[in-house]
Amino acid sequence: MKEEITLETIRQYFPDFSEPELQDQILANGKMYRFPEGSLIMDFGSHVRMLPLIIEGSIKVSREGEDGSELFLYYLSRGESCTMTFSCCMSDKVSEIRAVAEEDTVILGLPQRVLDEWMMKYKSWKNFVLQSYDQRMKEMISTIDQIAFSQLDQRLLDYLSKTAELHQSKEIKATHLQIASDLNVSRESISRLLKNLESRGQINLGRNKIILLEDL
Amino acid sequence: MKEEITLETIRQYFPDFSEPELQDQILANGKMYRFPEGSLIMDFGSHVRMLPLIIEGSIKVSREGEDGSELFLYYLSRGESCTMTFSCCMSDKVSEIRAVAEEDTVILGLPQRVLDEWMMKYKSWKNFVLQSYDQRMKEMISTIDQIAFSQLDQRLLDYLSKTAELHQSKEIKATHLQIASDLNVSRESISRLLKNLESRGQINLGRNKIILLEDL
DNA sequence: ACGCCTATGTGATTTATATCACTGTTTTCG
DNA sequence: CGAAAACAGTGATATAAATCACATAGGCGT
């Protein structure tokens, strides 16, 4: 993939940015960055100076407990942006979340300065920002639902299907320990539940991988 | 209190709405509503046609599990607005949350139609909306932190101090059952934990009330 | 004043999950 | 290759909270 941003890229991945002037502005102000799989894009407490629009790949967003344990919040993928970052940029605050490249990821970074300006200038930008907030809000509520109202087996199934959907693959590449940290539970619990799912014919287990056999 | 909206009211409770034109617009389009304590302002699945700005009183916002149990999310009080409602209005969706008047409450309702329009017209309105989203986002994250990383005793303390702060009073008027539902746990657990706090001299218990003795 | 409903207190038991302790098995790396 | 590390399986036990089963106490209505 080219390091250059082109009008084509923007039109392709962010078709909602309809105003030609906005497209030009993005071109003029944006910069491409690439993050290899697993690399840290943003961390708790770090200052943020640009808003990432995801061109290619995906990002895992998580929250940290006092003791350093993590909790998976949601994935972001192409065509999306990190709302938490936006809010940090706008009020010049520090990040509340951690963002890690889930795959090799290319983002288009937009500088702090223009974000707010565009809100009142370009309708499609304003809509994009509001919709992003909305979506994230919903994800958060759904996360709250899961932790508050569901038992671990449900949460695990949900996690597996979200991950499978993100990667467009029935084969999930992850260790039990990784899953356990994402859900902030013990590794043994996950191992046992997975074993259960396998014996019920819902998944196949391999080292570092889980294969979903049905739609969950 | 008068049912009339005055420029004075707006300037007093929403001093950030600095543009005179915006103030006029609010005056022209807003309508006062009053909700007695305990009344249902909005429910899961209901359609919303206006955005409430809170003039007086406060609102408790909660989320419902599949089984009908509730989970307290956050309080809203004067000078604030319900972001979830805003997002519903904007995309004409159905409410994800329940809002109940925590005290006698007066709100200024703004019709769907103008909310989006103002975003690009009045800077202070745009800022207000974005800041509301932000704040709510933070509350959600803090709720997630609580459920995911804290034990019940911590959650209870947090709940008590939030409630005390909202009502500006060390005396909280609530039954153990109400608290338990808000936290989505059993009544007995709350009773036992409260008893504990009392024996440690942190609170006094009475029928339908809890008095905080120290800052928690 | 009596009875009833709601709120509270408390023991006993059950359940989900965590924690501990250990075994094997696969991968990595010197 | 051989050792060490990472991953996975599994029993035993511990813990937090739920659930069950009552007992008691405070207010309210008639």
Side-chain angles (χ1 to χ4, degrees), chain A:
Chain A
M1 168 174 301
K2 296 166 289 182
E3 294 293 339
E4 284 302 297
I5 318 165
T6 63
L7 261 183
E8 223 6 83
T9 314
I10 296 171
R11 291 211 182 104
Q12 186 182 348
Y13 292 102
F14 295 89
D16 289 341
F17 292 149
S18 48
E19 296 97 331
E21 199 185 317
L22 173 58
Q23 296 174 0
D24 288 343
Q25 283 285 313
I26 292 178
L27 226 51
N29 291 283
K31 229 188 204 165
M32 293 282 235
Y33 299 87
R34 46 185 62 235
F35 294 90
E37 179 178 333
S39 63
L40 186 66
I41 299 176
M42 191 189 330
D43 207 351
F44 314 104
S46 70
H47 260 286
V48 202
R49 277 162 219 82
M50 58 164 202
L51 179 73
L53 304 188
I54 303 172
I55 300 290
E56 198 58 57
S58 54
I59 293 176
K60 175 194 271 181
V61 175
S62 55
R63 174 78 178 146
E64 185 178 54
E66 303 111 47
D67 57 347
S69 58
E70 271 184 64
L71 180 75
F72 166 73
L73 290 179
Y74 48 78
Y75 292 120
L76 295 170
S77 54
R78 62 164 61 172
E80 298 188 297
S81 162
C82 186
T83 311
M84 293 305 296
T85 303
F86 179 81
S87 100
C88 286
C89 280
M90 293 295 284
S91 34
D92 216 15
K93 274 171 306 195
V94 133
S95 174
E96 302 263 349
I97 51 93
R98 166 175 292 162
V100 174
E102 172 83 1
E103 319 164 66
D104 288 351
T105 295
V106 181
I107 67 172
L108 171 52
L110 296 172
Q112 204 170 22
R113 171 179 44 81
V114 298
L115 306 179
D116 191 32
E117 202 184 307
W118 293 353
M119 284 294 296
M120 297 181 73
K121 230 169 166 176
Y122 307 113
K123 194 180 181 106
S124 67
W125 175 256
K126 177 214 65 185
N127 287 337
F128 175 75
V129 170
L130 289 181
Q131 268 169 43
S132 299
Y133 265 111
D134 241 57
Q135 246 177 78
R136 260 0 100 198
M137 213 78 162
K138 275 207 169 169
E139 300 265 19
M140 302 284 245
I141 287 203
S142 141
T143 302
I144 290 177
D145 282 353
Q146 290 274 331
I147 329 178
F149 301 119
S150 294
Q151 305 228 359
L152 190 45
D153 52 353
Q154 258 321 109
R155 290 182 63 200
L156 177 58
L157 286 177
D158 187 73
Y159 176 88
L160 292 177
S161 64
K162 271 182 187 158
T163 305
E165 200 201 330
L166 180 80
H167 290 116
Q168 308 270 28
S169 157
K170 296 265 173 205
E171 182 173 324
I172 295 167
K173 206 178 133 280
T175 72
H176 299 184
L177 184 59
Q178 281 163 2
I179 298 174
S181 335
D182 279 351
L183 299 179
N184 195 46
V185 297
S186 74
R187 196 262 313 162
E188 293 93 323
S189 301
I190 294 297
S191 287
R192 288 190 243 260
L193 285 176
L194 285 173
K195 214 64 196 152
N196 249 325
L197 289 176
E198 188 180 41
S199 73
R200 284 193 281 147
Q202 300 191 59
I203 60 175
N204 268 343
L205 292 176
R207 194 183 170 84
N208 296 323
K209 78 180 170 191
I210 297 159
I211 298 164
L212 307 194
L213 299 179
E214 349 170 351
D215 284 329
L216 300 177

Side-chain angles (χ1 to χ4, degrees), chain B:
Chain B
M1 173 175 300
K2 294 168 290 180
E3 293 295 339
E4 284 301 298
I5 319 165
T6 63
L7 261 183
E8 223 5 84
T9 314
I10 295 172
R11 293 211 181 103
Q12 184 182 350
Y13 292 102
F14 296 89
D16 288 341
F17 293 149
S18 49
E19 296 96 332
E21 200 186 316
L22 173 57
Q23 295 175 358
D24 288 343
Q25 283 285 313
I26 293 177
L27 227 51
N29 291 284
K31 227 187 206 169
M32 293 283 234
Y33 298 87
R34 46 185 63 235
F35 294 91
E37 179 178 333
S39 63
L40 186 65
I41 298 176
M42 191 188 332
D43 208 350
F44 314 105
S46 70
H47 260 288
V48 201
R49 277 163 219 78
M50 59 162 204
L51 178 74
L53 305 188
I54 303 172
I55 300 289
E56 197 58 57
S58 55
I59 293 175
K60 176 193 272 182
V61 175
S62 56
R63 174 76 177 147
E64 185 179 53
E66 306 111 45
D67 58 346
S69 58
E70 271 184 66
L71 179 76
F72 166 73
L73 291 179
Y74 47 79
Y75 292 119
L76 295 170
S77 54
R78 60 163 63 171
E80 298 187 298
S81 162
C82 185
T83 312
M84 294 304 297
T85 303
F86 179 80
S87 100
C88 286
C89 280
M90 294 295 283
S91 35
D92 216 15
K93 275 171 305 196
V94 133
S95 174
E96 302 263 348
I97 50 95
R98 168 175 292 162
V100 174
E102 172 83 1
E103 319 164 66
D104 289 350
T105 294
V106 180
I107 67 172
L108 171 52
L110 296 171
Q112 203 170 23
R113 173 177 42 80
V114 299
L115 306 179
D116 192 31
E117 203 184 306
W118 293 353
M119 284 295 295
M120 297 182 72
K121 231 169 165 174
Y122 307 112
K123 193 178 182 105
S124 68
W125 175 255
K126 177 215 66 184
N127 287 338
F128 176 74
V129 170
L130 289 181
Q131 269 169 41
S132 299
Y133 264 111
D134 241 57
Q135 243 177 84
R136 258 3 100 197
M137 214 79 160
K138 276 208 168 165
E139 299 263 21
M140 302 284 246
I141 287 202
S142 142
T143 303
I144 289 177
D145 282 354
Q146 290 274 331
I147 324 181
F149 301 118
S150 295
Q151 303 228 356
L152 190 46
D153 52 353
Q154 257 322 108
R155 291 182 62 202
L156 176 58
L157 286 177
D158 186 73
Y159 176 90
L160 292 177
S161 65
K162 271 183 185 158
T163 304
E165 200 200 331
L166 180 81
H167 290 117
Q168 307 271 25
S169 157
K170 296 266 174 205
E171 181 173 326
I172 295 167
K173 206 179 131 279
T175 72
H176 299 183
L177 185 59
Q178 281 163 2
I179 298 173
S181 336
D182 279 350
L183 300 179
N184 194 46
V185 296
S186 74
R187 194 264 313 162
E188 293 93 325
S189 301
I190 295 297
S191 286
R192 287 190 245 260
L193 285 174
L194 285 173
K195 212 67 198 155
N196 248 323
L197 289 176
E198 187 179 41
S199 74
R200 283 194 281 147
Q202 300 191 58
I203 60 174
N204 267 343
L205 292 175
R207 194 183 170 84
N208 297 321
K209 79 180 171 191
I210 297 160
I211 298 163
L212 308 193
L213 297 179
E214 347 171 352
D215 284 328
L216 300 178

